[in-house]
Amino acid sequence: MKVDLDDLDRKIITVLREDGRITVTDLARRVGMSKTPCQIRMRRLIGSGVIRGFRAVIDPAGLGLDHVAFAEVKLSDTREQALDEFNRAVRRIAEVEECHMIASSFDYLLKVRTADIRRYRTVLGEKISSLPHVASTSTFVAMETVKEAGG
């Protein structure tokens, strides 16, 4: 459901994207409001689902997970039940950071993060290729990340 946002709501969201740990007092000051109305707006944004949560942004390289590959996945069946089965199963693969249904010559694009190419090959062969209704895959290895969400 779309929520009507005004300029102050958008300012709050912009500041929280930059620093989700900012205090309400500092947030209010940065967006040009007093604390209580800012807090009310923030609660409304959370309650309406516009702000879905707050989390730590982790450096994957610090965890030894600096290999990124994108896998195109073509399914053998694209009826609704098959799509649901694939969607449920792919959510269980920890190495898959993102999964997008694509309007193209393939059906899904997966962003997969692993320690190295050997681990990616194992994930591809044992997990991704065995997902329900997978007919074929094609891999693109990222050489450098220039911009990434949350980073």
Side-chain angles (χ1 to χ4, degrees):
M1 183 172 74
K2 187 172 184 291
V3 178
D4 288 327
L5 303 175
D6 63 16
D7 289 341
L8 285 172
D9 292 329
R10 292 178 197 286
K11 285 181 184 178
I12 290 170
I13 292 165
T14 298
V15 172
L16 288 173
R17 274 187 178 152
E18 295 168 6
D19 182 4
R21 295 183 63 175
I22 192 170
T23 66
V24 175
T25 302
D26 289 340
L27 175 62
R29 183 183 45 74
R30 289 211 26 213
V31 300
M33 300 179 71
S34 59
K35 180 180 174 182
T36 301
C38 182
Q39 193 167 36
I40 291 168
R41 282 176 178 264
M42 195 169 99
R43 285 186 186 143
R44 182 178 54 81
L45 292 168
I46 293 168
S48 67
V50 170
I51 295 176
R52 295 189 310 196
F54 298 88
R55 64 188 61 116
V57 178
I58 307 300
D59 177 15
L63 300 174
L65 299 172
D66 51 2
H67 181 269
V68 176
F70 294 89
E72 293 179 352
V73 177
K74 184 160 184 57
L75 301 184
S76 58
D77 183 353
T78 56
R79 290 175 291 177
E80 204 60 38
Q81 182 178 345
L83 297 175
D84 288 343
E85 290 170 4
F86 177 87
N87 292 347
R88 279 194 306 276
V90 77
R91 287 184 185 109
R92 292 192 294 268
I93 301 176
E95 294 87 354
V96 175
E97 282 190 351
E98 296 180 18
C99 175
H100 304 274
M101 182 185 279
I102 302 292
S104 182
S105 59
F106 58 96
D107 301 302
Y108 286 90
L109 182 64
L110 281 54
K111 179 182 178 186
V112 184
R113 186 177 296 275
T114 58
D116 54 38
I117 192 72
R118 276 184 239 94
R119 178 65 187 145
Y120 173 74
R121 185 171 178 234
T122 300
V123 170
L124 180 66
E126 295 179 7
K127 296 181 180 183
I128 295 171
S129 295
S130 64
L131 287 168
H133 311 288
V134 170
S136 64
T137 64
S138 182
T139 296
F140 301 89
V141 174
M143 294 175 28
E144 177 184 9
T145 298
V146 177
K147 180 180 179 183
E148 190 166 51

